[in-house]
Amino acid sequence: MSHNTIAINQKMDKFDGRHSVWLFGYGSLIFKADFPFIERRAACIGNWTRRFWQGSHDHRGTPEQPGRVVTLVPEAGAVCHGMAYLITPEVFGHLDHREKNGYLRLATQIHFDDGGSEEGLVYIATEENAAFLGEASEQQIAQHIAAAHGPSGPNRDYLLELAEALRAMGRPDAHVFAIERHLRAIEQAAQPPAPPPVN
Ligand code: SIN
């Protein structure tokens, strides 16, 4: 499968004819909502775990040096917390372009933190996509992220903004927070030594 998923996503017709659809965001869609939405609610989906296993050639890296961003991997019994947005179907043009590097729209049941649930969509990059990087240690992932930059900015900012957003929502994520700790340590070690005090 090619990296570019726009054409496949445009064929997804499950919600055709609807005036609005719920979209679940678990990565940059939590902290960067650069699209119009009718309503936003904290939410979760079941049996998926957030992992920094997807390559980013277009936002936080380049084709030569891809960054690492999150996708969801299946895990029975897991709960992934994020943000749900009620959007109109016109917004999918923008989202399909933004998520084109391997992410496919998937229908899923979205459970809202304040009660109730609705069927909606989530963008997931599966291991079949050509940009999938897969598992690595959290230390290795942090090293990778520390070195990557792309048109949307440094890869580190993606990690730190996601960690901050999850913290603000009261939804700690052990994987994200461990990579954040490793990144801080890498950046600390790279600091030049402080000059000796002048007296
Ligand atoms: C998402 O945020 O839901 C998808 C992954 C991303 O764009 O970071």
Side-chain angles (χ1 to χ4, degrees):
M1 186 172 86
S2 88
H3 296 192
N4 192 322
T5 50
I6 290 179
I8 304 172
N9 281 326
Q10 280 173 348
K11 289 194 195 116
M12 215 267 195
D13 56 5
K14 182 166 171 66
F15 295 98
D16 278 7
R18 293 261 295 260
H19 296 297
S20 58
V21 182
W22 281 100
L23 165 75
F24 179 77
Y26 55 90
S28 66
L29 290 174
I30 298 181
F31 63 82
K32 188 178 174 188
D34 61 351
F35 50 88
F37 55 86
I38 301 159
E39 195 186 338
R40 164 162 62 185
R41 289 162 83 183
C44 66
I45 61 173
N47 300 317
W48 293 101
T49 302
R50 181 171 21 232
R51 289 285 177 262
F52 267 90
W53 290 4
Q54 173 67 5
S56 175
H57 299 73
D58 55 346
H59 286 298
R60 302 296 176 160
T62 61
E64 297 73 39
Q65 203 177 348
R68 264 192 185 259
V69 291
V70 290
T71 184
L72 295 180
V73 296
E75 186 185 322
V79 176
C80 177
H81 292 278
M83 192 60 78
Y85 301 87
L86 186 61
I87 58 173
T88 57
E90 300 85 70
V91 181
F92 281 110
H94 169 74
L95 292 171
D96 288 347
H97 184 265
R98 173 173 161 166
E99 304 297 325
K100 66 184 180 306
N101 198 48
Y103 292 86
L104 292 172
R105 295 188 210 167
L106 188 86
T108 186
Q109 198 65 21
I110 302 173
H111 305 274
F112 303 106
D113 286 10
D114 56 5
S117 73
E118 293 271 357
E119 193 180 26
L121 285 169
V122 59
Y123 283 87
I124 292 181
T126 70
E127 61 187 1
E128 279 97 52
N129 88 88
F132 191 78
L133 292 174
E135 192 166 1
S137 73
E138 284 155 347
Q139 164 78 30
Q140 285 167 332
I141 292 175
Q143 265 158 353
H144 187 148
I145 288 174
H149 299 255
S152 298
N155 204 172
R156 76 180 287 284
D157 290 359
Y158 178 106
L159 165 65
L160 298 181
E161 285 180 53
L162 176 58
E164 200 42 53
L166 291 170
R167 210 169 273 122
M169 289 168 63
R171 295 297 185 189
D173 181 310
H175 172 72
V176 175
F177 287 7
I179 298 168
E180 181 193 31
R181 276 196 304 279
H182 286 301
L183 178 90
R184 298 265 189 221
I186 291 164
E187 292 188 338
Q188 185 76 32
Q191 290 283 323
V198 187
N199 46 16

